[in-house]
Amino acid sequence: MDYNARMNYDHLSGKSVLLLGKTRSLHREEFETLLKLHTIDVKATFEGEVALIIEGRMMNPLEQNEAARLYQEECVPIVEIGEIEQWLCRSIEPNRLLMSLKLSRDHERLVNFIQNPYITDELFFKLLKLYDWQGEGLFDTNTNRDVTAAVIGRFYADLGRNHNVQYAMSGLAHLIERYGTASLITAIAELSPIHREIKQPYERALKGVLDAISLHRDTPKTLLKQLIPTRAKLLAHREPLGVEEELLALNDSEINPLLACNPSLSPQGADTLEPTYPEAIASYYPLDEVRFERLMNFVIPCDDTESTIRGDGSRIKYGMTEDENGMRVIVSLASNNTLTASMQKRLMEMNNEAVFSQLAQNTTLLAEHVDTLFAMNRYGTQLASNTSLATQQLEVLYQRANSEISMALASNPSTPIDILYQLSLDRRYERRVQTNPTFGAHIQTHNIGWHS
């Protein structure tokens, strides 16, 4: 929450105010104490020296009548309680409050401040560290539930549309995914039920929360390192990787293939993994001319019992030509969405069926090459799945369609709505159309019901 600089009531120092009704975010005693720090006195009834009238919540009938009378007379400014409470909370001296809470060990007062929407985020995070979870889970006790709900409610922007999210573990995971920042994720990870889970996992209900922390791009590296023992595979999917060096150091046969498929791998990491996972690097890693050329001429190594040595010292399987051996890597290159115009030209000039088939699905393929493949009339299924195809070309494919092409068109978000409607009438393609995001958005926009 941003502090409204215009909301300043310092001019009330040495004066009196009238409070009608009850306080909202602060207890009455806390409210009056904070006012006294500003040398402001609270009156119970209206008197001539009152400089401001504060309209609180839950006014009784007498207070309502008094408020109505004072409105009419317009003798003294009237403000809503929230404005005053926000001003008071933003003027709190954090260190003084924290010391007071530590010394008094007033658990109820601490929880009240944690639930207060007007304190700064910086103070909120410091107060969370003081809270004692009593060895219980986030929602295991009423007070723990209230504190967890305060964390979610404070940062979940559209809470009004989904207020139940405050009281579900999935809500905390969703909060991290949608609104996570480095400071918020760190604060959540330091909550003792989650901190305990990071060190020694046993609570399945927290899996979604830790997964969300692992994958979020703003999660601090120090926290990512703590998650490696239990979530190395998930961290290998993360973009950016964040802990690439640590994951590579594991030299794990299950982790390394995942890292090789991660486009945010560093050049050094790609160089390390390329000899063992050339197809993955060829498919996913952002290419430069040097790497492209090297992969174009790559020969997949084999073990001694099934290979023969070439003149340059590399190995190739018995009965397999060098072209066949390296073609798997070249086909993988054809799927890479960072191919430059010159790279695409090189691949097209190979005049190879497998390469053409893969290029036909590449969404970054230049229009001239798409036209060439389209004219061959042999790659309809692959082209029908390509989201970069022109509407006219998709319409032509629909007219030519067999079952495989129709299935691909049903899933393609670029397929025109009228074609998707026609495909939806066929039970073979109905489910594909139903899960097509373009068709779903069209139905929502036009308020059309869907019955499966």
Side-chain angles (χ1 to χ4, degrees):
M1 299 179 187
D2 294 329
Y3 177 62
N4 185 347
R6 294 173 298 177
M7 191 182 299
N8 193 316
Y9 294 95
D10 289 338
H11 64 279
L12 294 175
S13 179
K15 300 178 182 179
S16 299
V17 297
L18 170 64
L19 173 62
L20 297 175
K22 300 183 181 296
T23 54
R24 187 180 302 277
S25 297
L26 294 166
H27 280 196
R28 179 69 180 245
E29 182 180 349
E30 196 84 55
F31 180 79
E32 294 188 2
T33 298
L34 290 172
L35 282 175
K36 286 179 181 178
L37 291 176
H38 292 271
T39 63
I40 301 172
D41 188 33
V42 181
K43 297 290 186 181
T45 59
F46 180 75
E47 300 174 12
E49 70 271 16
V50 168
L52 183 72
I53 298 169
I54 303 171
E55 194 172 57
R57 64 182 184 90
M58 297 178 62
M59 289 188 290
N60 61 41
L62 292 176
E63 289 172 325
Q64 290 175 353
N65 291 335
E66 182 71 350
R69 181 181 70 81
L70 294 171
Y71 264 121
Q72 290 181 347
E73 293 183 1
E74 298 182 352
C75 53
V76 177
I78 302 177
V79 299
E80 200 271 328
I81 184 70
E83 290 190 22
I84 297 295
E85 288 186 328
Q86 182 173 355
W87 171 65
L88 289 173
C89 290
R90 292 309 175 102
S91 65
I92 290 174
E93 189 176 325
N95 291 337
R96 179 181 294 180
L97 175 62
L98 292 169
M99 183 59 67
S100 173
L101 290 168
K102 287 178 182 178
L103 293 175
S104 67
R105 297 186 179 181
D106 190 331
H107 195 69
E108 182 179 354
R109 186 181 179 216
L110 172 61
V111 173
N112 287 336
F113 269 109
I114 289 174
Q115 292 177 306
N116 191 315
Y118 299 134
I119 61 173
T120 64
D121 291 344
E122 182 181 4
L123 177 56
F124 176 80
F125 291 139
K126 290 178 179 179
L127 291 171
L128 273 182
K129 292 181 179 181
L130 296 182
Y131 182 72
D132 184 359
W133 296 83
Q134 301 290 325
E136 301 287 349
L138 297 173
F139 294 96
D140 288 352
T141 68
N142 290 338
T143 310
N144 285 6
R145 180 201 61 207
D146 290 343
V147 171
T148 304
V151 175
I152 299 172
R154 184 179 185 88
F155 298 99
Y156 201 97
D158 50 352
L159 190 65
R161 299 177 58 186
N162 188 18
H163 62 275
N164 289 331
V165 75
Q166 285 182 274
Y167 303 100
M169 198 71 77
S170 59
L172 194 59
H174 197 210
L175 172 72
I176 295 168
E177 291 168 3
R178 292 191 63 178
Y179 307 108
T181 61
S183 55
L184 175 57
I185 292 170
T186 299
I188 291 173
E190 290 176 348
L191 302 179
S192 68
I194 295 178
H195 181 68
R196 183 175 63 239
E197 185 70 13
I198 290 174
K199 297 180 69 174
Q200 189 174 0
Y202 77 99
E203 180 57 66
R204 290 180 59 86
L206 286 171
K207 179 181 181 300
V209 177
L210 295 190
D211 287 351
I213 292 175
S214 301
L215 291 174
H216 199 283
R217 65 182 300 108
D218 291 332
T219 299
K221 185 174 182 177
T222 52
L223 183 51
L224 293 176
K225 287 182 178 180
Q226 297 177 44
L227 292 162
I228 289 176
T230 58
R231 280 172 168 72
K233 289 183 181 179
L234 198 60
L235 293 171
H237 285 286
R238 194 173 176 277
E239 295 183 40
L241 272 166
V243 284
E244 174 186 316
E245 184 178 347
E246 290 78 6
L247 293 173
L248 283 171
L250 298 176
N251 196 24
D252 188 282
S253 60
E254 293 184 342
I255 304 301
N256 284 350
L258 300 176
L259 290 171
C261 293
N262 193 316
S264 69
L265 193 68
S266 71
Q268 296 77 16
D271 290 343
T272 299
L273 296 174
E274 183 182 298
T276 310
Y277 306 99
E279 292 169 72
I281 297 296
S283 293
Y284 300 103
Y285 193 75
L287 297 169
D288 57 26
E289 294 293 340
V290 173
R291 192 178 300 278
F292 175 79
E293 200 62 41
R294 187 166 66 235
L295 289 167
M296 282 287 286
N297 296 284
F298 194 91
V299 176
I300 299 177
C302 306
D303 60 58
D304 291 343
T305 60
E306 298 182 352
S307 64
T308 185
I309 301 177
R310 299 191 318 171
D312 63 359
S314 60
R315 296 183 176 276
I316 186 170
K317 271 190 176 182
Y318 292 127
M320 178 182 283
T321 69
E322 294 181 16
D323 286 345
E324 289 172 334
N325 192 24
M327 189 54 66
R328 287 156 50 189
V329 178
I330 295 174
V331 171
S332 296
L333 278 171
S335 69
N336 195 303
N337 62 12
T338 67
L339 292 171
T340 64
S342 62
M343 294 174 188
Q344 292 185 19
K345 185 174 183 293
R346 282 279 306 280
L347 291 169
M348 289 293 294
E349 288 173 347
M350 294 190 70
N351 197 27
N352 179 277
E353 291 283 332
V355 173
F356 282 166
S357 178
Q358 193 63 63
L359 283 171
Q361 303 170 66
N362 193 320
T363 58
T364 60
L365 190 64
L366 295 174
E368 60 185 282
H369 301 318
V370 172
D371 292 341
T372 299
L373 296 177
F374 193 87
M376 290 180 181
N377 199 23
R378 293 202 303 271
Y379 306 101
T381 302
Q382 294 86 348
L383 288 166
S385 67
N386 193 325
T387 57
S388 68
L389 241 62
T391 298
Q392 184 179 2
Q393 291 173 319
L394 291 169
E395 290 172 345
V396 172
L397 286 172
Y398 177 65
Q399 296 303 321
R400 300 176 182 174
N402 56 30
S403 60
E404 291 182 353
I405 292 176
S406 295
M407 192 70 77
L409 287 171
S411 299
N412 191 335
S414 297
T415 300
I417 287 294
D418 58 337
I419 293 178
L420 291 176
Y421 268 120
Q422 293 300 315
L423 291 170
S424 71
L425 301 177
D426 191 319
R427 297 290 295 181
R428 292 175 296 175
Y429 317 123
E430 181 184 17
R431 181 57 59 183
R432 292 287 186 96
V433 174
Q434 185 179 1
T435 56
N436 188 310
T438 297
F439 193 70
H442 177 78
I443 288 175
Q444 289 181 345
T445 302
H446 293 78
N447 198 27
I448 302 172
W450 176 271
H451 302 284
S452 57

